[in-house]
Amino acid sequence: MTFVDHLSELRRRLIKSVIAVVIGMAVSAWYIDDIVAFVTSPAGTLYVMRPAEAFLIYMKLALWSGAVLASPILFYQFWAFLLPAFTTHEKKILALFVPASVLLFLGGLAFSFAVVLPQSLHFLMTFTTAEVQPLWSLEGYLDFAILMVLPFGVIFNMPLLLVALAKMGLVSSEQLKQVRKYVIVLSFIVAAIITPTTDMVSQSLLAVPIIVLYEFSLAFIRYILRK
């Protein structure tokens, strides 16, 4: 494929992805009350500070929920865009990447929502006293929750991305081994940047999975793919 062909293919994939997100957003908007109740359950009572805040935040949450619902389509479009770089045999193996990507993405979201988010909220609550009580807004909480949860879904797909790069001959197990120490340091730096708290426990809950997934990817590429 020429460069122009790749751009045309990318445009088609993006259009299909946007349509999938819009459809997912419409479905999410139908069940928005249940979604809001579920997402805000760790925080308890929340407040709106502006007249239109609740509506705008509901639409934002519907958009993010729509993206989650559309994740199978989004991952399919992403991996399908890479298909020209693979051989016919490798394309058959790549068919496993879509369900694996979805499972890892949802697994990352579930892990963050069930473990990391409550831990972060608990840390922030330790700063309250009898004189200083939290008055969290719906907008502030949801922005915080999105920053805590979504990165895990993306990061949990790191093994698949590294495996794909190895199959394309762009990385090898030896190269990954050489940069291991940098990845460990970078994992904690990324965790400190992404995690909207200064809690070392919450940051470690993001950094440690990155390191574990990296080591798993390295072992898989070295012993299974033998690259």
Side-chain angles (χ1 to χ4, degrees):
M1 295 178 67
T2 65
F3 179 73
V4 175
D5 292 334
H6 278 294
L7 289 180
S8 299
E9 177 71 9
L10 178 61
R11 183 177 62 86
R12 289 193 294 269
R13 299 293 177 187
L14 289 176
I15 291 174
K16 292 178 182 179
S17 298
V18 170
I19 293 174
V21 172
V22 171
I23 295 175
M25 182 179 178
V27 175
S28 299
W30 186 261
Y31 298 98
I32 192 62
D33 290 334
D34 295 330
I35 295 174
V36 170
F38 174 75
V39 172
T40 59
S41 58
T45 304
L46 298 170
Y47 302 88
V48 292
M49 306 301 181
R50 298 184 300 273
E53 180 178 337
F55 172 77
L56 295 176
I57 294 304
Y58 275 39
M59 291 300 99
K60 180 190 290 188
L61 185 58
L63 174 61
W64 286 112
S65 301
V68 173
L69 289 178
S71 58
I73 304 298
L74 299 181
F75 281 114
Y76 173 79
Q77 298 301 328
F78 172 77
W79 291 117
F81 180 70
L82 297 181
L83 283 179
F86 288 77
T87 65
T88 302
H89 175 68
E90 289 170 341
K91 289 179 181 179
K92 296 179 181 179
I93 299 176
L94 193 58
L96 300 175
F97 275 37
V98 175
S101 293
V102 175
L103 291 176
L104 287 172
F105 178 71
L106 296 179
L109 298 185
F111 172 76
S112 180
F113 186 80
V115 178
V116 182
L117 181 60
Q119 170 63 35
S120 299
L121 293 176
H122 175 73
F123 169 76
L124 294 175
M125 287 295 294
T126 60
F127 292 95
T128 62
T129 64
E131 294 77 21
V132 180
Q133 291 295 313
L135 187 64
W136 293 345
S137 69
L138 177 62
E139 181 179 19
Y141 168 76
L142 288 179
D143 288 342
F144 176 83
I146 289 172
L147 286 174
M148 289 297 302
V149 173
L150 282 182
F152 280 83
V154 177
I155 290 172
F156 270 47
N157 271 273
M158 180 177 62
L160 292 180
L161 181 59
L162 291 177
V163 168
L165 293 176
K167 293 290 290 183
M168 295 167 65
L170 298 178
V171 298
S172 65
S173 59
E174 189 62 31
Q175 291 174 327
L176 295 178
K177 186 177 180 180
Q178 290 175 356
V179 300
R180 173 189 285 156
K181 57 184 178 182
Y182 302 108
V183 171
I184 294 175
V185 175
L186 186 61
S187 298
F188 283 95
I189 294 176
V190 171
I193 295 174
I194 294 178
T195 307
T197 69
T198 57
D199 179 18
M200 287 298 298
V201 175
S202 300
Q203 294 175 5
S204 297
L205 287 174
L206 176 57
V208 172
I210 294 177
I211 298 171
V212 172
L213 291 171
Y214 185 84
E215 292 294 336
F216 173 80
S217 305
L218 173 59
F220 185 89
I221 293 171
R222 182 175 183 179
Y223 298 107
I224 304 300
L225 299 184
R226 297 188 181 279
K227 290 183 176 292

